[in-house]
């Protein structure tokens, strides 16, 4: 009896993956030589351990990146649809950002004081994302940690509610999952001593009764969520889901924190602003400074006043928030340039038009081979999912995740000149992405599927 994975014969998948891995390895001698010479200084041979998680036999070494193209040290050019997993959502080295960074480099890189660029960046953050009182961090993980502290401080409550399968960076407080109907700490965390499940609660995305029951306990300081789940096999909210969540939070005295680090791709200003969802706190990171490490978290004005009262009355001492290099002038120069000159309506119109073209092309390719897969899109973000859809929650998303098939497809696309995100099947369109690049990706994807399903 033939065994199938996502509609593909397992033996056929194995032979396909082996062939693609060999093709990649034999075509990149310069990369292999350089890695052999230089990787010994790093733990696991790479600067960040997850750089080993790409589906290639060994990591690519990038020589240069510009716009929506990457060139590796063996001279191969790739159309980049990963874009630093959103970090370079607006393209590699957008010209206004590159100029701002070069200009600021001549005037100091950090000095623990604000600048005129900082003041203008604050105005632009409000213009783009809404009326919040902002603070700057270096990563969205740091921004989420600060938001959680503020939520607990002003409400006097210990717990944070998240959705099963969520992703908010490396925030230990929400490294939890569902086991049956019980909140437990995620398995596999390195060196974890404290139990995050003691101060968190997990429910499934789109499960309003479970959320309302959890809030009714009266101990939840905040709901921390992405408006669209993006960690594994993208999950869209049901109609009126967020309107009901907002009402339930208000009734329970619980704050709502929107983490739009990924969903900034959904449209100018993010998903919440575009859909009229009122957040008490807003977190944004990765792409806002055009590729320079930067994040921001903001409090709605009434919450900012509540926090100011709390802060004025607390015992003096370290707040547990903030890092020395956050809020540096390099961040603000890049942030001002990106928010003001790159992250524009014109850019998003271009991004969404090409993303719709990509969505349609991938869907056509899937239908042509009758694969039991589907495609989902939010703004400039497109994903193919190796299972029928739509998906409604984190459990369904994890069950739809098909690592063996995804790794083979990813590697085969690299061999055909297209780079997509390594941790899921995500593709992003930037303002620099060209129609011909989208068409090349569609053609490559179609060729790969024809090989897998033949």
């Amino acid at each position: 009896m033939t065994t199938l994975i996502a509609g593909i014969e397992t033996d056929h998948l194995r032979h396909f993956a082996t062939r693609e891995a060999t093709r990649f390895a034999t075509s990149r001698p310069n990369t292999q030589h350089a890695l052999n010479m230089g990787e010994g200084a790093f733990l696991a041979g790479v600067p960040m351990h997850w750089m080993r998680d790409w589906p290639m036999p060994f990591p690519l070494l990038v020589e240069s990146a510009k716009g929506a193209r990457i060139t590796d040290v063996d001279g191969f050019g790739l159309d980049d649809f990963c874009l630093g997993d959103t970090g370079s959502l607006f393209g590699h080295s957008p010209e206004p950002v590159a100029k701002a960074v070069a200009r600021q480099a001549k005037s100091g890189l950090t000095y623990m004081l604000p600048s005129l660029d900082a003041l203008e960046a604050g105005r632009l953050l409000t213009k783009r994302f809404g009326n919040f009182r902002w603070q700057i961090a270096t990563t969205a993980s740091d921004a989420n940690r600060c938001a959680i502290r503020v939520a607990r401080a002003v409400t006097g409550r210990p717990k944070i509610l998240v959705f099963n399968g969520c992703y908010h960076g490396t925030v230990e407080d929400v490294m939890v999952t569902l086991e049956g109907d019980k909140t437990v700490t995620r398995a596999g965390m390195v060196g974890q001593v404290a139990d995050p499940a003691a101060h968190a609660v997990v429910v499934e995305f789109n499960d309003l009764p479970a959320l309302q029951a959890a809030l009714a306990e009266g101990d939840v300081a905040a709901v921390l969520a992405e408006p669209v789940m993006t960690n594994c096999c993208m999950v869209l909210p049901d109609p009126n889901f967020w309107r009901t969540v907002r009402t339930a939070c208000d009734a329970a005295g619980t704050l709502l924190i929107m983490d739009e680090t990924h969903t900034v791709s959904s449209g100018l200003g993010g998903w919440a602003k575009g859909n009229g969802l009122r957040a008490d706190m807003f977190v944004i990171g990765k792409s806002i400074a055009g590729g320079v490490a930067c994040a921001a978290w903001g409090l709605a004005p009434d919450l900012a006043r509540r926090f100011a009262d709390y802060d004025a009355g607390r015992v003096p001492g370290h707040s547990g928030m903030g890092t020395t290099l956050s809020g540096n002038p390099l961040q603000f120069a890049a942030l001002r340039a990106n928010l003001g000159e790159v992250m524009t309506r014109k850019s998003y119109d271009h991004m969404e038009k090409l993303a719709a073209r990509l969505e349609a092309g991938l869907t056509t390719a899937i239908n042509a081979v009758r694969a039991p897969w589907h495609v989902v899109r939010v703004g400039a973000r497109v994903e193919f999912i190796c299972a029928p859809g739509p998906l409604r929650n984190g459990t369904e998303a994890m069950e739809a995740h098909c690592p063996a098939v995804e790794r083979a497809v990813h590697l085969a696309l690299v061999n055909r000149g297209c780079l997509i995100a390594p941790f899921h099947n995500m593709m992003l369109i930037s303002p620099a992405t060209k129609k011909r690049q989208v068409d090349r990706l569609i053609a490559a994807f179609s060729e790969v599927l024809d090989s897998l399903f033949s």
Side-chain angles (χ1 to χ4, degrees):
M1 183 175 180
T2 301
T3 303
L4 301 179
I5 302 177
I8 304 167
E9 293 183 6
T10 53
D11 286 345
H12 186 56
L13 174 63
R14 184 167 54 253
H15 292 316
F16 177 85
T18 300
R19 184 171 67 248
E20 294 296 331
T22 301
R23 176 178 171 179
F24 177 89
T26 57
S27 67
R28 286 173 166 82
N30 294 341
T31 300
Q32 290 196 68
H33 177 73
L35 287 170
N36 290 338
M37 294 297 293
E39 67 181 359
F42 292 110
L43 183 66
V46 285
M48 290 290 287
H49 63 89
W50 45 255
M51 290 179 179
R52 283 286 185 189
D53 293 342
W54 287 83
M56 292 83 82
F58 46 84
L60 286 171
L61 287 178
V62 177
E63 183 175 88
S64 64
K66 182 63 179 175
R69 290 276 290 178
I70 280 179
T71 302
D72 70 17
V73 298
D74 281 281
F76 289 98
L78 297 107
D79 294 324
D80 187 8
F81 295 92
C82 174
L83 296 171
D85 197 22
T86 310
S88 291
L89 172 62
F90 301 103
H92 296 289
S93 297
E95 188 172 348
V97 175
K99 288 181 177 178
V101 168
R103 184 168 57 248
Q104 184 60 50
K106 298 176 182 178
S107 302
L109 298 177
T110 189
Y111 29 70
M112 286 186 67
L113 288 166
S115 62
L116 291 176
D117 279 341
L119 301 180
E120 179 61 11
R123 186 190 72 81
L124 288 169
L125 282 168
T126 297
K127 178 182 178 182
R128 285 284 171 259
F129 302 114
N131 187 20
F132 297 96
R133 302 297 177 262
W134 299 100
Q135 289 282 274
I136 301 299
T138 299
T139 69
S141 295
D142 288 338
N144 278 317
R145 289 188 184 96
C146 293
I148 287 171
R149 282 185 175 273
V150 169
R152 286 172 169 158
V154 298
T155 63
R157 297 175 176 182
K159 290 191 176 181
I160 303 298
L161 185 147
V162 293
F163 293 106
N164 194 33
C166 70
Y167 180 71
H168 300 288
T170 57
V171 180
E172 296 87 347
D173 301 71
V174 295
M175 290 290 186
V176 287
T177 189
L178 273 180
E179 193 171 278
D181 59 356
K182 184 180 179 182
T183 298
V184 299
T185 299
R186 288 185 183 181
M189 291 181 65
V190 175
Q192 185 67 32
V193 179
D195 181 12
H199 298 104
V201 58
V202 183
V203 300
E204 292 285 10
F205 197 70
N206 284 319
D207 189 343
L208 287 169
L211 178 133
Q212 290 164 332
L215 296 187
E217 296 294 322
D219 57 356
V220 176
V223 172
L224 170 61
E226 297 180 292
V228 174
M229 292 193 72
T230 66
N231 184 41
C232 175
C233 298
M234 194 157 56
V235 180
L236 306 181
D238 288 343
N240 295 319
F241 173 70
W242 281 115
R243 182 178 299 176
T244 305
V245 173
R246 176 72 269 180
T247 300
C249 285
D250 288 340
T254 297
L255 302 174
L256 179 58
I257 308 172
M258 281 285 102
D259 180 355
E260 296 234 35
T261 297
H262 284 167
T263 55
V264 67
S265 63
S266 66
L268 186 63
W271 195 96
K273 185 177 181 181
N275 288 273
L277 175 64
R278 174 176 55 85
D280 299 299
M281 281 189 266
F282 186 91
V283 172
I284 184 75
K286 287 196 177 184
S287 65
I288 55 169
V292 172
C294 185
W297 55 282
L299 312 182
D302 60 333
L303 181 59
R305 288 189 289 270
R306 289 173 63 186
F307 179 65
D309 290 342
Y310 165 86
D311 200 36
R314 72 181 176 91
V315 175
H318 199 293
S319 66
M321 301 188 298
T323 53
T324 303
L325 294 179
S326 295
N328 66 68
L330 187 66
Q331 287 176 315
F332 287 123
L335 188 58
R336 178 180 183 176
N338 196 61
L339 292 175
E341 302 179 60
V342 181
M343 190 186 290
T344 64
R345 170 59 60 194
K346 181 180 179 181
S347 291
Y348 273 95
D349 288 345
H350 172 84
M351 294 155 69
E352 292 180 25
K353 180 180 178 180
L354 287 188
R357 184 180 184 88
L358 178 58
E359 177 188 23
L362 298 181
T363 300
T364 297
I366 288 169
N367 291 340
V369 297
R370 302 186 180 215
W373 300 8
H374 72 287
V375 178
V376 62
R377 178 174 75 89
V378 173
R381 183 186 182 104
V382 182
E383 294 183 13
F384 66 86
I385 297 174
C386 304
L391 308 175
R392 293 197 65 251
N393 57 47
T395 295
E396 290 184 6
M398 289 303 298
E399 290 172 351
H401 184 43
C402 195
V405 174
E406 292 161 6
R407 290 179 67 86
V409 173
H410 291 201
L411 178 55
L413 290 176
V414 168
N415 284 336
R416 289 155 180 81
C418 302
L419 186 70
I420 69 173
F423 310 122
H424 33 67
N425 309 316
M426 185 270 289
M427 293 148 281
L428 289 166
I429 302 296
S430 79
T433 304
K434 308 298 183 186
K435 175 176 170 291
R436 63 179 178 272
Q437 293 179 288
V438 170
D439 290 344
R440 284 198 293 258
L441 175 56
I442 293 169
F445 184 76
S446 181
E447 180 185 331
V448 170
L449 262 60
D450 286 344
S451 295
L452 285 170
F453 286 89
S454 61

